[in-house]
Amino acid sequence: MKCNLVYRSPDGQEYACEVTRDLAIGRSPAEGGVVLTPEDRAISGTALVVAVREGHVVVRNASSFAQLDVQHQQGTRFLFPGEELAVRADVIVTIPGTVYSHVVHVQVEGAEDVNDPPTGTTPLVDEAFEVPAERRSALAGLCAARFFPDRFGSALLTATAIANLMTAAGEPVTAKAVNNKLQRLRTDIADKLGVYLDTREDLADWAIRQGHVSRGAVEALIDG
């Protein structure tokens, strides 16, 4: 099995290598690591470690505080500090900064072809809850920046920006209506599941973790 890493920085630098040992990526990793540029003090010295193990590749969040977003074949998984994920196929890891989000491509070749999802602790979707059809686009818009930080930045889209996406996709709606849809969704989740999502960030994280919003759903919205 072979693992390659590709990083294209926001300031135009590019780094590519084969991962043959534990490889550290961050603001100031140990010698031989990958430096994220431009420098951002909000990013840990070592934010990510990629390592090749027998039969799989390990992606570990080495940050002291920030979560990492890992996009894989089954969707997106959040890694919190100290957590790691074993994968057998390509993944894209997003490391958030103050201004820029840094995207690292981990490319896996020659791994055994298996259908099992990556290992980790993401909970399964609660089959008792389904997002109402009339609120799915608003929820997808809320999560758009989580899947496409290069396009939308690291912050969640505002209600106005979500309304613009929905209108362009043929679902005319106002910003007020978007906020109402998202608030009603939080209320439904609390009533039916006992899960209280106090902020927009909580709602977006929950929706992605539980599989209610996928990269494909966001692509369908933003591509109209």
Side-chain angles (χ1 to χ4, degrees), residues 129-137 139 185 189 206-207 212-213:
F129 185 84
E130 182 176 353
V131 176
E134 67 272 14
R135 298 172 195 161
R136 290 174 188 163
S137 291
L139 187 59
L185 188 54
I189 294 167
W206 176 88
H212 291 291
V213 176

Side-chain angles (χ1 to χ4, degrees), residues 151-208:
R151 179 168 178 177
F152 297 110
S154 58
L156 297 182
L157 297 185
T158 64
T160 298
I162 296 171
N164 290 340
L165 284 178
M166 293 176 63
T167 299
E171 298 182 53
V173 68
T174 64
K176 181 178 180 180
V178 168
N179 280 331
N180 287 339
K181 290 175 185 290
L182 297 178
Q183 180 55 51
R184 288 172 185 166
L185 188 54
R186 283 201 295 264
T187 300
D188 287 348
I189 294 167
D191 290 345
K192 296 178 181 179
L193 301 178
V195 176
Y196 297 93
L197 306 169
D198 295 328
T199 67
R200 302 169 84 249
E201 288 75 14
D202 290 342
L203 176 59
D205 292 348
W206 176 88
I208 296 171

Side-chain angles (χ1 to χ4, degrees), residues 4-47:
N4 294 317
L5 183 140
V6 178
Y7 165 60
R8 298 180 181 89
S9 69
D11 60 359
Q13 305 298 314
E14 181 168 328
Y15 180 90
C17 72
E18 180 179 353
V19 180
T20 58
R21 53 180 176 79
D22 288 13
L23 182 63
I25 301 102
R27 173 174 48 81
S28 58
E31 184 177 357
V34 180
V35 178
L36 302 178
T37 60
E39 184 179 27
D40 185 338
R41 301 297 297 180
I43 296 175
S44 295
T46 298

